[in-house]
Amino acid sequence: MAKRALITGITGQDGSYLAELLLGEGYEVAGLVRRSSTENNSRINHIQDQLTLVSGDLMDEASLINVLRDFKPREVYNLAAQSFVQASWTQPVLTGEATALGVTRLLDAIRIVDPEIRFYQASSSEMFGRVRTVPQNEETAFYPRSPYGVAKVYGHWITVNYRESYDLHASSGILFNHESPRRGLEFVTRKVTNGAARIKKGLSTELRLGNLEAQRDWGYAADYVRAMASMLQRPEPDDFVIATGETHSVRELCEVAFSAAGLRYEQYVVVDPAFIRPAEVDLLVGDATKARDVLGWKCEVDFYALIEMMVAADLEALEG
């Protein structure tokens, strides 16, 4: 009998890569989608005929209970969230409802319907925020610096709480930044690769950015979803940092992206104070030793290959 998985956030970057991975392993895959007047299924169009899309919302626990009863998944991957850090400053309450309390509603639905369901929570390196130690691992204290980071800390701890209180197989992946050609345009990596491509094609003349000195640990999303799936195959649930262990600045990101488009970033990138966050996270770099040792996980695509892949995809899309 085929394994069944339910993915919330299936239309997002990670959801689409995870769905591809699980379908390739013979799973039946359902994706939770909210009712909305505008559907954006562009990331899953190529596999949509292999998926079951089910209607539900992390704001509505009854809808989650119904989906679990009807589809009967063995695994649930919670990737849905208000996931853009900048937007969490303008919509802090909505971010808390979806990114924090949404996790509780889903865990509670699992507890009610079938406590044997295995659960994955998408935690985030933004939980570390104002970092206490470098690099960050599973033991590093959290100090979130945005409403998004705070909401993710709640989601992380409620997952631990349900695991320990109700004996659920509930694991969290503390994922550092992971990107791809499917990344939304509001995220800095895609903003830069798309900006470089647009300038190359004569569609823009400049790219406005915030803090060029901010440093991040950037990996490839398709590598990171392999870690998610691995966590739910283990006999015991646990939490894992997933990261490359390397850090790069936004300035270096610009250098690599513009160079891939045959341009010099210094001629086009403008620092705009409007894009500086109220509280900046300066240096995030993860230590994924535990994931390597326990899950046998490693990155296969490095930072440079990733950014070049993204620029190539953006140039190709603009030709279309």
Side-chain angles (χ1 to χ4, degrees):
M1 197 172 106
K3 280 189 173 179
R4 288 186 167 188
L6 172 70
I7 302 172
T8 75
I10 197 166
T11 59
Q13 168 188 263
D14 293 8
S16 65
Y17 282 113
L18 179 61
E20 280 176 356
L21 176 74
L22 296 177
L23 287 169
E25 292 183 0
Y27 276 71
E28 290 177 20
V29 179
L32 186 79
V33 289
R34 276 181 312 185
R35 283 260 176 257
S36 79
S37 53
T38 56
E39 283 186 6
N40 180 13
N41 292 347
S42 59
R43 294 185 184 93
I44 56 168
N45 277 342
H46 63 297
I47 52 171
Q48 198 161 332
D49 60 343
Q50 301 170 64
L51 302 170
T52 306
L53 296 183
V54 292
S55 180
D57 197 318
L58 290 182
M59 306 284 195
D60 177 8
E61 189 171 331
S63 74
L64 302 176
I65 289 170
N66 289 335
V67 165
L68 294 179
R69 281 187 177 147
D70 293 345
F71 186 69
K72 300 183 173 59
R74 301 315 310 142
E75 299 172 8
V76 170
Y77 295 85
N78 183 38
L79 310 185
Q82 190 302 99
S83 62
F84 186 42
V85 175
Q86 195 71 36
S88 77
W89 293 102
T90 53
Q91 298 182 302
V93 176
L94 175 72
T95 301
E97 280 288 350
T99 308
L101 291 176
V103 187
T104 317
R105 295 185 191 103
L106 189 49
L107 283 164
D108 211 46
I110 288 170
R111 177 186 67 80
I112 291 165
V113 175
D114 180 3
E116 294 301 306
I117 292 171
R118 295 187 172 199
F119 176 79
Y120 171 84
Q121 166 60 10
S123 288
S124 165
S125 60
E126 289 288 330
M127 302 190 307
F128 296 121
R130 188 173 179 177
V131 298
R132 317 316 285 161
T133 54
V134 178
Q136 295 88 50
N137 64 21
E138 295 79 7
E139 305 305 316
T140 305
F142 300 138
Y143 195 141
R145 298 275 279 168
S146 65
Y148 170 76
V150 172
K152 278 291 185 186
V153 170
Y154 178 100
H156 180 83
W157 280 117
I158 201 70
T159 300
V160 173
N161 191 264
Y162 269 65
R163 175 167 78 214
E164 294 178 352
S165 305
Y166 300 112
D167 201 26
L168 297 186
H169 193 298
S171 295
S172 279
I174 305 172
L175 271 55
F176 280 66
N177 297 61
H178 47 289
E179 318 297 320
S180 75
R182 299 180 195 171
R183 193 49 140 158
L185 285 167
E186 67 272 28
F187 291 86
V188 71
T189 44
R190 185 74 198 293
K191 186 176 175 181
V192 169
T193 63
N194 185 63
R198 287 181 63 82
I199 290 168
K200 179 68 174 178
K201 294 290 183 189
L203 299 170
S204 299
T205 55
E206 65 175 26
L207 176 63
R208 304 185 83 82
L209 295 171
N211 179 11
L212 296 188
E213 307 318 318
Q215 297 181 56
R216 291 289 182 276
D217 181 330
W218 280 298
Y220 178 38
D223 282 341
Y224 285 39
V225 299
R226 285 189 288 104
M228 301 176 185
S230 296
M231 288 177 214
L232 297 203
Q233 310 318 311
R234 296 188 65 247
E236 298 298 325
D238 206 346
D239 305 322
F240 294 90
V241 163
I242 306 298
T244 70
E246 291 179 10
T247 182
H248 302 272
S249 66
V250 176
R251 188 180 297 281
E252 188 182 358
L253 164 65
C254 292
E255 200 174 332
V256 175
F258 277 79
S259 170
L263 303 169
R264 287 174 59 80
Y265 85 94
E266 297 93 338
Q267 297 173 337
Y268 305 100
V269 172
V270 179
V271 174
D272 185 341
F275 293 112
I276 306 278
R277 293 177 187 172
E280 183 57 86
V281 173
D282 300 312
L283 176 62
L284 288 174
V285 55
D287 173 5
T289 303
K290 181 176 168 185
R292 279 198 302 276
D293 293 349
V294 177
L295 303 175
W297 177 84
K298 65 177 194 298
C299 298
E300 290 173 3
V301 175
D302 72 9
F303 171 76
Y304 304 98
L306 168 66
I307 301 307
E308 286 163 10
M309 175 204 305
M310 291 174 68
V311 172
D314 278 323
L315 285 167
E316 190 184 335
L318 291 173
E319 302 205 331

